[in-house]
Amino acid sequence: MKNTLIMGEGDLSCCAYIINSGKVKIFLSDEHGKEIVLSELKSGEYFGEMALIDKEERSAAAMTMEDTELTVISQKNFRECLQSYPEIAERIMLGLVTNLREANKKISSLVFMDAYERVANMLLALAKNQKGLLVIDEKPTHQHIANVVGTSREMITRILKNMAADGFIKIAGKQITVMK
């Protein structure tokens, strides 16, 4: 079900998850409920693997973004699987390295880019080529954009208005077209 908390930051860990279908966001939040989205994962991707390796508390929370089906892998099954299929360890390490590189990019954008640039990058990442145009079919909410780029919903509203006024984007209903 959409908006189901799968794991909370600081929870004790006992398993990892593979997404069979659906979409999951990995995020951090503060005591006031402000959140930053670290990643959005889809079918075929996995999360929670760090806890299977170091047995520490969860470093982030995970919540479904739509109806989602998961496979749960326990620590015991994970270790057995690694012994039987050692090549899985390499795939897990590559996944962890990919996550670390993505975290480095996110940190860099938060430190070196202003909010306008972060929003522009997010829109470009979401856009798909449709007949020569870059189009986002399902416009994310202003709050979701704010959570991903690390700013306020009000700032996102101003930035999107400015982008539209300057001709960089065109907003029509639930669709955004990147013009420049």
Side-chain angles (χ1 to χ4, degrees):
M1 186 184 319
K2 183 177 179 176
N3 294 328
T4 299
L5 186 66
I6 301 164
M7 62 186 204
E9 184 180 355
D11 285 355
L12 296 177
S13 57
C14 63
C15 55
Y17 303 87
I18 299 172
I19 304 170
N20 299 326
S21 65
K23 196 171 180 181
V24 172
K25 70 176 176 179
I26 309 299
F27 66 98
L28 300 171
S29 59
D30 67 13
E31 63 275 1
H32 305 294
K34 183 178 179 191
E35 61 178 56
I36 179 101
V37 176
L38 301 175
S39 61
E40 294 177 359
L41 306 173
K42 60 189 181 315
S43 181
E45 296 182 300
Y46 56 89
F47 60 96
E49 73 282 3
M50 290 186 341
L52 295 180
I53 296 167
D54 67 9
K55 299 178 185 172
E56 294 289 324
E57 294 177 345
R58 300 288 187 185
S59 61
M63 180 179 284
T64 60
M65 298 177 70
E66 60 191 37
D67 288 349
T68 301
E69 182 183 307
L70 302 169
T71 297
V72 180
I73 303 172
S74 70
Q75 287 177 336
K76 180 180 182 267
N77 287 343
F78 176 73
R79 296 200 181 280
E80 289 171 0
C81 201
L82 283 179
Q83 289 176 353
S84 299
Y85 304 97
E87 63 274 10
I88 291 175
E90 183 177 356
R91 290 195 64 194
I92 295 292
M93 287 189 298
L94 287 172
L96 290 169
V97 168
T98 299
N99 292 344
L100 184 56
R101 288 184 192 282
E102 288 301 314
N104 287 346
K105 285 180 192 175
K106 184 131 193 145
I107 292 166
S108 175
S109 75
L110 289 171
V111 171
F112 299 118
M113 291 181 184
D114 65 24
Y116 193 97
E117 292 170 305
R118 294 193 309 267
V119 171
N121 281 342
M122 179 182 177
L123 295 178
L124 286 171
L126 291 174
K128 304 288 183 230
N129 191 328
Q130 294 182 10
K131 299 178 184 174
L133 294 173
L134 292 175
V135 177
I136 302 166
D137 280 325
E138 286 294 319
K139 177 179 80 170
T141 66
H142 291 197
Q143 187 61 58
H144 181 73
I145 296 170
N147 291 348
V148 171
V149 303
T151 191
S152 69
R153 182 186 52 76
E154 296 80 9
M155 176 66 83
I156 296 304
T157 300
R158 283 194 298 275
I159 289 171
L160 292 177
K161 279 184 183 177
N162 289 342
M163 285 180 161
D166 293 342
F168 290 111
I169 62 172
K170 179 180 170 188
I171 302 172
K174 292 189 177 225
Q175 190 177 70
I176 298 176
T177 304
V178 179
M179 307 304 287
K180 298 181 184 177

